[in-house]
Amino acid sequence: MQDLAAALSARKQQQLYRTRLTLDGPQGVVVSIDGRDYLSFCSNDYLGLANHPQLIAAFKEGVDRFGVGSGAAHLITGHSYAHQALEEELAAFVGRPRALLFSTGYMANLGVVTALTGRGDEIFEDRLNHASLIDAAALSTAKLVRYPHNDMQALQQKLSASRARQRLIASDGVFSMDGDCARLVPMQALARQSDAWLLVDDAHGFGVLGEQGQGWCVDQLGAGTDNLVLMATLGKALGTGGAFVAGSEALIETLIQQARTFVYTTAAPPALAWATRAALRLVQAGDGLRERLLRNIDYFRRGAAELDVPLMASETAIQPVVVGAAGAALALSAALRQRGLLVTAIRPPTVPQGASRLRVTLSASHSIEQLDRLLGALADCYRECLHVVP
Ligand SMILES: *Cc1c(COP(=O)(O)O)cnc(C)c1O
């Protein structure tokens, strides 16, 4: 039996220990922790919908109509009108024949990958993919082949060397820790050439990017072809929770039969789906929100450039400030926190060694004054924290 306490203290020593914050109230750009208000730059609530009055009203209406729990798995009696209506609206929104709800994005990725691949197959993944896609490959027992970040030439070489029966390429649409976007057009061309599935995880693009917020995948590939599997989450820009997979009729029917994270789990509360329908309507009418978010991204990037604070090549709401050492990232996060600002430090193993960073995420709800507070605090603290070792 391993010594857990010793492993935990080693982790502390390496500055890798993780703890939770406990919020007193709702998610938002200002959150309350232990009775103190903090200006937050670390939620994925990109459009400020998590505490939106219309979503709250829809959630309450959903509870009045459907009760609290779904009471069963979708294939037993857990599938309600709220789930069905939301699936149909999501499919129409992304222009695919069908959509299927999952309780979380993590489960959606596990479900799709294990339903489509198994022993003797190969899964090709970007090195920076989200943990859920990596775990999905491990669970499927297919061979996992990783390629350097966004390197389509490397992907092509690995695909042409493949002798597997079944090939699946899986990529984040917007990379969750770097904020840059996958090169989906060449990726889809490679997928079709090699008769592979292409699974795009659009957790951070859905609701935010594209014409009406349909996401990065739809923006780049349109309705797509039958090999394309779109996964997006509902707990980020949409402000509720859960996820969906959209694709062909045959794909969705296959997932209903075989995706174990769909079959063997209780359906999410119908009221949540009801609230998500309200979120989807706000997203569709959300050009103003997306414009405000873009304005905020642009303002923050320019401000950081003036301060000589290096950012990554991201045009999305995820704007990491790379610091390097885990200890330096923690020190900067702590210094900002003292000033009433909340920006989480992201450390290995979530990001590679030496690439610890503050993951600044921006929301349409941030005001220019709030962005100025962040920029001012970075001006005060960034440089001195760089020298913190290790
Ligand atoms: C958040 C996230 C997930 C997981 O979604 P949950 O609904 O939170 O389980 C999957 N993929 C990516 C890229 C994510 O950022």
Side-chain angles (χ1 to χ4, degrees):
M1 208 180 87
Q2 71 274 50
D3 185 347
L4 296 182
L8 286 170
S9 64
R11 186 180 268 265
K12 256 183 207 156
Q13 215 109 53
Q14 297 161 350
Q15 312 270 18
L16 297 179
Y17 204 77
R18 300 167 190 241
T19 56
R20 301 173 296 176
L21 298 170
T22 305
L23 271 61
D24 304 325
Q27 186 59 264
V29 294
V30 177
V31 295
S32 168
I33 297 164
D34 289 332
R36 179 176 173 190
D37 280 351
Y38 292 88
L39 177 56
S40 165
F41 293 93
C42 35
S43 88
N44 304 309
D45 182 22
Y46 300 123
L47 301 179
L49 299 188
N51 189 35
H52 192 285
Q54 285 181 36
L55 265 68
I56 293 171
F59 202 3
K60 288 177 175 165
E61 186 186 292
V63 169
D64 287 340
R65 182 156 166 184
F66 300 98
V68 176
S70 72
H74 281 276
L75 285 172
I76 312 299
T77 54
H79 189 66
S80 74
Y81 173 71
H83 298 118
Q84 182 63 33
L86 176 59
E87 285 181 350
E88 288 172 15
E89 288 166 3
L90 287 167
F93 183 54
V94 296
R96 303 308 300 274
R98 293 278 299 276
L100 184 70
L101 289 172
F102 284 78
S103 297
T104 71
Y106 193 110
M107 290 168 70
N109 282 338
L110 294 189
V112 169
V113 172
T114 54
L116 295 181
T117 63
R119 210 171 298 284
D121 300 336
E122 278 181 1
I123 300 171
F124 300 83
E125 297 207 21
D126 191 290
R127 277 223 170 274
L128 298 189
N129 271 358
H130 189 263
S132 56
L133 286 171
I134 308 295
D135 295 358
L139 192 60
S140 88
T141 70
K143 181 176 167 208
L144 174 60
V145 179
R146 301 183 79 178
Y147 58 88
H149 181 48
N150 255 340
D151 185 340
M152 292 302 105
Q153 213 170 351
L155 175 58
Q156 177 170 32
Q157 281 161 4
K158 288 174 192 286
L159 281 168
S160 38
S162 164
R163 296 284 165 270
R165 282 176 308 169
Q166 246 346 305
R167 281 171 282 279
L168 180 145
I169 304 167
S171 178
D172 285 19
V174 175
F175 289 89
S176 56
M177 294 302 138
D178 287 34
D180 60 338
C181 297
R183 300 173 60 196
L184 295 182
V185 172
M187 203 182 291
Q188 167 68 327
L190 290 177
R192 299 200 60 189
Q193 269 166 32
S194 52
D195 191 29
W197 292 101
L198 173 59
L199 166 59
V200 179
D201 173 342
D202 216 357
H204 296 279
F206 188 65
V208 179
L209 300 176
E211 192 71 27
Q212 275 192 302
Q214 287 106 325
W216 182 243
C217 183
V218 173
D219 183 66
Q220 293 295 295
L221 302 178
T225 45
D226 279 358
N227 75 315
L228 179 66
V229 185
L230 165 63
M231 193 292 287
T233 63
L234 305 170
K236 288 169 179 152
L238 270 78
T240 56
F244 73 94
V245 173
S248 71
E249 181 72 30
L251 171 79
I252 298 303
E253 282 302 318
T254 301
L255 295 179
I256 292 172
Q257 316 307 313
Q258 295 181 22
R260 295 168 68 85
T261 56
F262 173 81
V263 174
Y264 296 106
T265 198
T266 301
L272 191 65
W274 206 248
T276 305
R277 294 182 71 201
L280 189 57
R281 287 192 285 273
L282 287 172
V283 161
Q284 283 174 297
D287 284 350
L289 291 174
R290 282 182 289 275
E291 266 165 35
R292 264 182 68 111
L293 179 59
L294 280 177
R295 176 205 69 175
N296 286 349
I297 294 166
D298 185 55
Y299 188 85
F300 176 70
R301 287 191 67 85
R302 279 195 228 201
E306 274 169 32
L307 296 174
D308 251 342
V309 169
L311 299 177
M312 299 185 79
S314 161
E315 289 167 24
T316 67
I318 301 167
Q319 291 292 332
V321 176
V322 175
V323 178
L330 282 182
L332 183 53
S333 179
L336 295 177
R337 179 129 180 230
Q338 281 219 312
R339 287 168 164 74
L341 298 167
L342 218 54
V343 190
T344 22
I346 308 280
R347 290 160 286 162
T350 309
V351 293
Q353 284 291 342
S356 289
R357 63 198 65 178
L358 290 201
R359 183 169 175 275
V360 171
T361 55
L362 300 171
S363 162
S365 305
H366 286 120
S367 67
I368 293 294
E369 293 68 36
Q370 290 170 328
L371 298 176
D372 281 337
R373 267 186 70 197
L374 174 61
L375 289 165
L378 283 173
D380 291 347
C381 311
Y382 177 74
R383 247 152 276 282
E384 66 185 77
C385 290
L386 281 188
H387 306 299
V388 173
V389 254

